[in-house]
Amino acid sequence: MSNAVSYELVDNIGVISVNNPPVNALAQVVREGILNAVTAAQDDDCEAIVLRCEGRTFIAGADITKFGKPPMEPGLPLVLGAIENSSKPVIAAIHGTALGGGFEVSLACHYRCAIASAKVGLPEVKLGLLPGAGGTQRVPRIAGVKAALDMITSGNPIAAAKAHDMGLVDMIIEGEDLQAGAIEYAKSLVASGAPLKRIRDITIDPATVEAGYFDAARKKLARRARGQIAQDKIVSCIEAAVNLPMDKGLERERELFLELVTSPESAAMRHIFFAERQAAKIKGLSKDTPVRAINKVAIIGGGTMGGGIAMCFANVDIPVLMLEINDEALQRGMDIIRKNYNITVQKGKLDANKMQDRIDLITGTTDYADLGEVDLVIEAVFENLELKKEIFAKLDAVCKPGAILASNTSYQDIDAIAEATSRPQDVLGMHFFSPANVMKLLEVVRGEKTADDVLATSMKIGKKIGKVCALSRVCYGFIGNRMLGGYGREAQMLLMDGCTPVQVDSVLEGFGMAMGPLAMGDLAGLDVGYKARQARTDLPDDPKLYRMGTLLVEMGRHGQKTGSGFYKYDPDTRKRMSDPEVEAMIKEEAAKIGVEQRDISSDEILERCFYPLINEAARILEEGIAQRPSDIDVVYVYGYAFPAAKGGPMHYADHVGLKNIYDKICEFRDRYGEQYWKPAPLLKRLAEEGKTFAQWGAEQG
Ligand code: T1G
């Protein structure tokens, strides 16, 4: 037996234990070990076999690091065949998260038991894949076609109790001693002469599936696929489970799995999987850096952002004190929170009692003196540097030593804010994205003097509240917003050159962005960008620059909040509609400033929107604002809805080729001017050296 898999006889039960830290992934040694143990157990005295795992979790899937590499024997189907065809009952004993190939291993077992805190799931779709070891054939046989489709196309894990209700788990083991409970369960199955329950023997009656069900499912999934291709193939697999015998269904699943595993979409989504975990690591900080305890949090400002941030902490049972300038503002803040929770309850994603528990964790105050005992303060007031410095000076006076003082600013100078206190080492940026209780990204902004344990604590608490964290140094707009400047600018320049808002946005949405730049402007409020530009002194004096954005604001068209911006919005449904009045205005304004309009290709629209963003990212890397190119991919996928199936802007740039991008930027520079199109030195160098951002990132170590 290898170290990764051990076998022992406990009374009359054979116990196979997998031990392959950190998550018992199905590496070659694990597959081989399980196969050998199951084979050996056929001939020894055991009457049943329990398959369990050491460490924090049951098998959490195939070894993702091995995808795209030559396959090694034994393959997983062979291992599952041995389990399923065992002459003695095999029982999977699940704790932690049985995911992907791990859950498929348990589905090949004759019975599954789990402790109450366990979860099971098939998250392959989040890697641009599908369950390739029988999951698409076995789950519908047990849980039904609809439940299988939901489970596999969402990829979300299911709690043990719900899995039990769905028939996916046969027994919930009380208490924490899973091994003992599983052995007792195995003994009871032997004693009752329980059959070798093989899921493959279940057939699905095609008559139970209404006509057109799968086509309707395909259409629905296609609407939110955003460049992902796995969902459609998952539907085909489940359709095969209904219409084909098991082995034919498994063949079909394997075929489609192999198509996906070699696809650029899956490669991009696997890149994001590892980039997300890499982003949590701060270069130069050992993983043993001490962290401070965060048991109570305060939020300054109960507006949209403050309310959303408060919910993030209450959702993980951390009490929150929300401070506002007066009782009216406080009540408004609490009402926003209750409204948001009600929406979640109405969607069936939270039960009303749990909602009340969370709301009860959020209390209000108008007095800074009440903040003496909190461990972390997050300031979320409107963007005014002097006001923020004033607030931090007050916090410095009332907060206990060791309290972390964070600002949710989107672009202000964290060092200037820190200097307003006597403890700059305890100050940093924690930049949430709107809506803060929904968006997964948290930009952690490291000030010049921010202490290592403050950084480590912020990354850890960020993960605890369900955020994906990425580290940024201080600059105007940090990583995400700084890169967005050129993207938004060019979207408006393209209007002057001949595009309509619909044309620009539909190209970006066709690429996979959740929302095009102009519609995004309408959502965020055109007046926000307008005010930010008014405050800037470094913008070129060019009548073409942000011309439409400025005129629309001055006409009172601030976007969705005023019912119109680049588009007009249905007052009831908020549905976006193109506005002929705006399209006419664009033509007039272009004529006024002597711009000859022309037909513009979709490629040019994509290039003029993304290449400034990629170019600015190269500067951000050169300046050390971001630690590594893959962090930037994480920022854009989790903060700006850049399609995961494209892997983020840096992965996408490497896919397009940095030489192509550099050459195009030079072409645009010659056509539109260096004030907008100045190639970043790093991009130029990598283009000339024929390198990628990924290679550069690896060289930086
Ligand atoms: N393969 C390889 N490495 C993995 C891994 C995996 N499946 N899962 C995690 N890791 C590494 C991860 O990179 C990190 O490494 C460390 O383990 C801890 O992970 C045939 C085709 C299990 C819920 O998609 O969702 O099976 O950064 O930081 O927050 O049909 O990891 O420390 O060097 O995430 O406690 C399907 C993926 C695979 C599950 C634990 N399975 N993993 O979360 O720890 S496809 C998945 C997770 C498949 C079959 C198909 C999470 C977790 P490092 P972590 P965590």
Side-chain angles (χ1 to χ4, degrees):
M1 279 305 148
S2 73
N3 296 343
V5 178
S6 62
Y7 178 76
E8 61 174 329
L9 209 50
V10 179
D11 302 343
N12 60 340
I13 304 298
V15 178
I16 301 174
S17 298
V18 175
N19 187 14
N20 182 32
V23 295
N24 291 313
L26 281 162
Q28 189 276 341
V29 283
V30 172
R31 299 193 307 269
E32 184 178 57
I34 294 174
L35 179 61
N36 294 347
V38 170
T39 308
Q42 302 308 302
D43 307 322
D44 74 7
D45 301 339
C46 78
E47 293 178 293
I49 301 162
V50 166
L51 174 59
R52 59 174 289 276
C53 293
E54 303 285 357
R56 63 177 160 172
T57 182
F58 190 80
I59 301 165
D63 184 344
I64 305 170
T65 62
K66 295 292 183 290
F67 288 141
K69 301 204 171 79
M72 295 170 70
E73 295 304 321
L76 194 49
L78 185 67
V79 179
L80 302 195
I83 292 172
E84 202 166 44
N85 298 325
S86 163
S87 60
K88 304 171 181 184
V90 183
I91 296 100
I94 299 170
H95 74 293
T97 51
L99 301 175
F103 185 46
E104 290 172 300
V105 166
S106 78
L107 290 170
C109 296
H110 305 109
Y111 296 91
R112 285 150 294 285
C113 64
I115 54 174
S117 59
K119 290 189 174 160
V120 301
L122 295 169
E124 286 85 346
V125 70
K126 297 183 179 182
L127 299 168
L129 297 170
L130 55 82
T136 69
Q137 304 305 301
R138 291 191 172 90
V139 173
R141 281 173 161 76
I142 282 260
V145 167
K146 184 170 179 335
L149 201 67
D150 292 348
M151 182 179 183
I152 302 175
T153 54
S154 74
N156 297 329
I158 293 173
K162 182 164 179 215
H164 182 261
D165 297 346
M166 294 167 72
L168 294 168
V169 165
D170 302 287
M171 168 70 79
I172 302 293
I173 302 291
E174 299 310 322
E176 289 304 310
D177 189 343
L178 175 61
Q179 175 162 339
I183 289 172
E184 281 318 304
Y185 177 47
K187 286 180 178 174
S188 69
L189 290 169
V190 170
S192 64
L196 297 174
K197 201 169 52 116
R198 303 188 322 162
I199 297 176
R200 73 171 17 254
D201 299 334
I202 301 169
T203 55
I204 303 169
D205 174 3
T208 59
V209 181
E210 73 255 20
Y213 175 79
F214 289 113
D215 289 345
R218 279 193 181 86
K219 283 205 187 74
K220 188 165 163 235
L221 289 162
R223 277 198 293 275
R224 57 171 204 258
R226 296 183 45 218
Q228 296 182 22
I229 58 173
Q231 287 81 347
D232 187 80
K233 298 188 189 319
I234 290 168
V235 176
S236 302
C237 288
I238 296 176
E239 201 169 12
V242 173
N243 301 323
L244 299 176
M246 182 68 175
D247 289 329
K248 285 281 174 228
L250 286 174
E251 260 173 49
R252 184 87 182 106
E253 178 193 83
R254 195 86 205 146
E255 263 169 44
L256 295 171
F257 173 80
L258 292 174
E259 280 177 34
L260 289 175
V261 81
T262 52
S263 70
E265 288 81 4
S266 179
M269 294 174 80
R270 295 192 314 255
H271 161 73
I272 290 295
F273 176 86
F274 289 112
E276 179 185 330
R277 282 145 185 86
Q278 201 57 7
K281 297 172 182 138
I282 300 178
K283 289 184 181 178
L285 243 67
S286 90
K287 63 179 180 345
D288 311 321
T289 302
V291 294
R292 302 182 187 178
I294 305 292
N295 300 318
K296 186 157 184 167
V297 171
I299 310 288
I300 311 300
T304 310
M305 288 307 290
I309 297 169
M311 292 171 72
C312 293
F313 289 93
N315 292 351
V316 292
D317 300 329
I318 295 178
V320 178
L321 195 53
M322 195 156 76
L323 182 139
E324 258 294 0
I325 46 177
N326 57 43
D327 292 335
E328 293 74 49
L330 201 51
Q331 194 50 53
R332 264 199 313 276
M334 299 305 269
D335 293 348
I336 290 173
I337 292 171
R338 183 174 290 280
K339 186 169 94 350
N340 287 341
Y341 274 130
N342 271 324
I343 293 168
T344 316
V345 170
Q346 273 142 29
K347 285 185 185 159
K349 292 189 178 154
L350 180 69
D351 95 331
N353 298 333
K354 193 76 190 135
M355 170 181 84
Q356 196 50 51
D357 294 347
R358 292 180 180 177
I359 289 175
D360 293 345
L361 279 170
I362 305 172
T363 51
T365 180
T366 57
D367 187 352
Y368 275 86
D370 292 341
L371 275 56
E373 286 315 307
V374 301
D375 304 303
L376 166 65
V377 183
I378 302 176
E379 164 273 314
V381 303
F382 64 88
E383 293 288 7
N384 176 299
L385 185 58
E386 289 318 310
L387 173 62
K388 291 179 188 286
K389 289 163 77 170
E390 214 183 284
I391 289 171
F392 274 72
K394 283 186 188 159
L395 294 174
D396 191 24
V398 296
C399 289
K400 68 181 180 183
I404 294 176
L405 309 180
S407 173
N408 176 54
T409 179
S410 305
Y411 54 81
Q412 303 281 4
D413 183 345
I414 294 292
D415 292 322
I417 293 173
E419 288 316 314
T421 74
S422 63
R423 48 173 114 180
Q425 74 283 2
D426 295 333
V427 176
L428 82 170
M430 289 178 81
H431 177 211
F432 290 76
F433 287 72
S434 182
N437 56 311
V438 176
M439 293 300 285
K440 287 201 68 148
L441 182 69
L442 177 62
E443 261 183 338
V444 173
V445 185
R446 176 184 204 160
E448 210 45 55
K449 298 185 179 142
T450 304
D452 288 356
D453 66 336
V454 169
L455 285 174
T457 305
S458 306
M459 297 297 262
K460 188 159 182 249
I461 192 74
K463 182 168 182 180
K464 180 165 182 179
I465 61 174
K467 300 303 179 190
V468 173
C469 302
L471 186 74
S472 175
R473 287 272 187 188
V474 173
C475 68
Y476 186 89
F478 314 134
I479 297 173
N481 285 345
R482 176 173 162 183
M483 288 165 64
L484 208 57
Y487 175 79
R489 177 197 71 229
E490 284 304 311
Q492 294 201 33
M493 287 295 203
L494 284 159
L495 299 178
M496 287 296 106
D497 291 329
C499 293
T500 62
V502 171
Q503 191 189 355
V504 173
D505 282 346
S506 56
V507 167
L508 274 299
E509 287 161 12
F511 175 86
M513 297 298 283
M515 191 180 272
L518 301 166
M520 180 58 89
D522 277 358
L523 177 69
L526 301 177
D527 54 324
V528 177
Y530 179 85
K531 286 194 196 115
R533 289 193 300 274
Q534 301 295 66
R536 291 181 61 176
T537 54
D538 60 341
L539 291 175
D541 175 20
D542 175 354
K544 194 178 169 188
L545 184 61
Y546 299 110
R547 189 173 184 81
M548 286 308 297
T550 301
L551 286 173
L552 290 170
V553 169
E554 288 164 0
M555 288 168 65
R557 298 176 64 125
H558 295 183
Q560 287 198 20
K561 58 184 159 188
T562 57
S564 67
F566 286 106
Y567 300 93
K568 53 186 181 187
Y569 297 86
D570 180 291
D572 305 325
T573 65
R574 284 197 173 224
K575 186 165 176 305
R576 142 179 143 203
M577 300 167 284
S578 58
D579 189 338
E581 188 193 335
V582 170
E583 292 173 9
M585 249 177 78
I586 292 170
K587 290 191 181 344
E588 273 163 43
E589 293 304 316
K592 258 192 224 154
I593 59 173
V595 174
E596 204 176 315
Q597 298 213 310
R598 58 188 171 84
D599 291 340
I600 295 181
S601 71
S602 300
D603 285 352
E604 180 175 346
I605 291 173
L606 267 183
E607 291 158 356
R608 282 179 61 184
C609 287
F610 280 141
Y611 290 4
L613 185 143
I614 292 165
N615 193 44
E616 194 61 28
R619 286 203 178 84
I620 283 172
L621 288 170
E622 230 154 13
E623 295 166 19
I625 299 293
Q627 297 191 94
R628 48 184 87 85
S630 59
D631 286 13
I632 296 176
D633 290 332
V634 164
V635 164
Y636 262 74
V637 166
Y638 288 110
Y640 299 81
F642 191 99
K646 297 281 191 317
M650 310 317 281
H651 182 88
Y652 170 68
D654 284 348
H655 187 72
V656 172
L658 301 190
K659 180 79 172 66
N660 299 330
I661 294 174
Y662 173 73
D663 292 348
K664 190 55 79 171
I665 289 177
C666 294
E667 185 190 317
F668 289 149
R669 176 196 54 206
D670 301 342
R671 199 187 306 173
Y672 300 112
E674 189 160 67
Q675 78 268 37
Y676 303 130
W677 294 96
K678 190 168 190 297
L682 176 63
L683 180 65
K684 180 174 187 297
R685 182 157 54 83
L686 295 177
E688 286 162 354
E689 294 170 6
K691 284 188 177 161
T692 64
F693 283 125
Q695 285 167 323
W696 179 84
E699 285 163 10
Q700 309 307 303

